[in-house]
Amino acid sequence: MVWHPSFREGQQNADLLRTHFSRDFYQSVGEERAISVLECSQPVPGSLTPLPIDWDDSEFTAVVVVAETSLIEDGEWAEYVRAFAETAHRRGLPAGFFPVTMDRRGLDLGVVQQALRWDRWGASDVDPARRLISDLTHEFCRMLRHNLDQLPPDGGGDDPFGRYRDKIRVFISHSKHDGDGEFVGSSIRDWIHTHSSLDSFFDVYDIPPGLSFGDVLQHEIGAGALLAVHTDSCSSREWCRHEIIEA
């Protein structure tokens, strides 16, 4: 996480990411292998910019840059950040450089990578801080999926760039046998398509006519992330139990 030392909100954003991605929840996933959040904001003694980042220090490295007026107007810092962008572009996939434009001046950074547009999120009904976490989580999932795609038997396929751009799909598991399951699941689906860059699978909309619904469900469970809407009747429904266990 990189931000200019004179930008006060930079520390708040870094604290936000560190608190979220390093919280205890992730320890149960991989034996305390949480995501490390490093902060680069203060110049080292005798220099105008922080220490360089070692891209090979981890299996995945993502550099999140807070791009705003004070960084753009400081030539040393702007060049420091552009060097990260050039390194990421030269390394190819997985993408690892994510500029976050806090204001319109952030677009003047002059890098080739698409930015996360915080400066536009204030006009929506979504909290920008939550949107940042959501969008970065999506991109980290893409980085992980790309790594898995390189393993045998796929070995990367014929179009790794196209595959990388595919949206992460959320399988919304729900029960239709009470008053809440389908309503909540449908509301989540609508939110995903309106406020995020994710995709979704919701059986009533996405099972093509003429196909076995069991075969489609089985395939979709293995093609993305599963979100279970746990209402009163969920655990009594055979397919709901199957979907959760299979995922």
Side-chain angles (χ1 to χ4, degrees):
M1 185 85 180
V2 179
W3 73 94
H4 194 272
S6 65
F7 186 61
R8 289 181 298 178
E9 294 181 36
Q11 183 66 59
Q12 298 173 10
N13 292 329
D15 291 343
L16 174 76
L17 296 186
R18 184 178 61 253
T19 300
H20 179 81
F21 288 114
S22 300
R23 71 189 196 273
D24 292 342
F25 170 80
Y26 288 92
Q27 295 181 4
S28 63
V29 177
E31 299 179 357
E32 301 187 2
R33 294 180 63 184
I35 298 176
S36 299
V37 179
L38 309 179
E39 302 176 9
C40 295
S41 65
Q42 298 299 323
V44 296
S47 174
L48 297 177
T49 54
L51 289 171
I53 293 176
D54 184 359
W55 289 80
D56 297 319
D57 185 52
S58 300
E59 188 170 4
F60 298 108
T61 298
V63 178
V64 180
V65 173
V66 178
E68 41 72 49
T69 301
S70 56
L71 186 143
I72 300 301
E73 293 180 348
D74 188 323
E76 293 283 349
W77 274 81
E79 286 303 316
Y80 169 74
V81 169
R82 291 185 189 112
F84 284 142
E86 183 178 345
T87 298
H89 186 59
R90 185 171 61 249
R91 290 168 64 92
L93 297 176
F97 180 85
F98 304 104
V100 182
T101 55
M102 306 297 292
D103 56 33
R104 293 286 300 178
R105 286 299 310 277
L107 295 173
D108 296 336
L109 187 58
V111 297
V112 299
Q113 289 87 348
Q114 175 69 20
L116 290 90
R117 296 295 304 275
W118 180 296
D119 58 305
R120 289 183 173 178
W121 297 342
S124 69
D125 59 353
V126 180
D127 175 34
R130 293 182 61 187
R131 174 70 182 269
L132 179 62
I133 287 177
S134 175
D135 284 8
L136 287 176
T137 300
H138 186 202
E139 297 310 321
F140 297 160
C141 288
R142 275 178 163 157
M143 294 172 72
L144 175 60
R145 183 181 62 186
H146 176 79
N147 186 59
L148 296 175
D149 282 346
Q150 307 311 303
L151 300 177
D154 294 335
D158 297 328
D159 185 18
F161 186 72
R163 169 65 171 160
Y164 190 93
R165 291 186 295 110
D166 286 347
K167 295 180 178 182
I168 300 298
R169 185 178 305 144
V170 179
F171 183 111
I172 303 174
S173 176
H174 62 287
S175 170
K176 297 180 176 63
H177 291 264
D178 54 43
D180 297 319
E182 187 168 4
F183 171 76
V184 173
S186 180
S187 299
I188 292 172
R189 176 185 182 272
D190 292 344
W191 190 95
I192 285 174
H193 286 270
T194 303
H195 296 295
S196 81
S197 54
L198 299 167
D199 196 4
S200 70
F201 176 84
F202 194 82
D203 54 10
V204 71
Y205 297 106
D206 298 315
I207 296 181
L211 294 185
S212 162
F213 76 91
D215 291 343
V216 175
L217 293 179
Q218 189 76 17
H219 174 270
E220 292 296 331
I221 290 170
L226 183 134
L227 186 152
V229 180
H230 195 274
T231 52
D232 290 343
S233 67
C234 178
S235 59
S236 67
R237 308 309 303 170
E238 178 182 358
W239 269 105
C240 290
R241 297 197 304 270
H242 172 77
E243 290 162 2
I244 293 172
I245 292 171
E246 184 68 19

